[in-house]
Amino acid sequence: MVPNARTAVSLVCLLVVASGILSGVQVGSMSSKLPGAGVLLVAAVVFTAFIGTLLGAAAQMVCACMARAGRRASWNLVGAAAACGAVVMVLTVLTFAAINAASPNLAAVGGLFALDAAVNVAMLLVAARFTK
């Protein structure tokens, strides 16, 4: 896939995911738990960074699997999706468990978002090395 097309697809996916997750219902739920509008804005920016890095890592992983696989592209893609998906699943469950607590600990939630984004960027960089 052409890099510009990949970027465009990733941005469209980011907007679709963000518009669904940051719907009025979700924002209303978060605003009832967070101390103010400023914190809510920061949470939206951090969450968008988390989703953006995840989509970037997923797109780069697909490119890496296709670039190096030859005839085994589908099996490599399944293996990469399973391995990366397991890590993302665990981190996402931990993050949303921290958010959905009756009284969320903002430091813990922020730390989990930072960890999520760092892991996503690490997966993106590893996949980029395999693409070359």
Side-chain angles (χ1 to χ4, degrees):
M1 185 180 282
V2 179
N4 290 337
R6 183 179 12 178
T7 302
V9 169
S10 294
L11 287 174
V12 168
C13 290
L14 175 62
L15 290 173
V16 168
V17 170
S19 68
I21 291 176
L22 296 177
S23 68
V25 172
Q26 185 66 23
V27 170
S29 173
M30 288 190 316
S31 64
S32 69
K33 293 180 182 182
L34 296 176
V39 176
L40 184 61
L41 179 63
V42 169
V45 169
V46 170
F47 190 72
T48 303
F50 159 65
I51 294 295
T53 57
L54 178 60
L55 291 172
Q60 191 63 45
M61 195 62 68
V62 168
C63 291
C65 289
M66 299 310 280
R68 297 183 56 94
R71 292 181 357 164
R72 299 185 56 222
S74 58
W75 289 111
N76 286 353
L77 190 56
V78 168
C84 294
V87 172
V88 169
M89 177 188 64
V90 168
L91 289 174
T92 302
V93 166
L94 291 173
T95 302
F96 279 95
I99 291 170
N100 289 328
S103 179
N105 179 342
L106 294 180
V109 171
L112 283 165
F113 271 128
L115 179 62
D116 291 336
V119 168
N120 292 340
V121 169
M123 286 189 295
L124 189 144
L125 294 174
V126 167
R129 283 195 67 138
F130 283 114
T131 304
K132 295 179 182 177

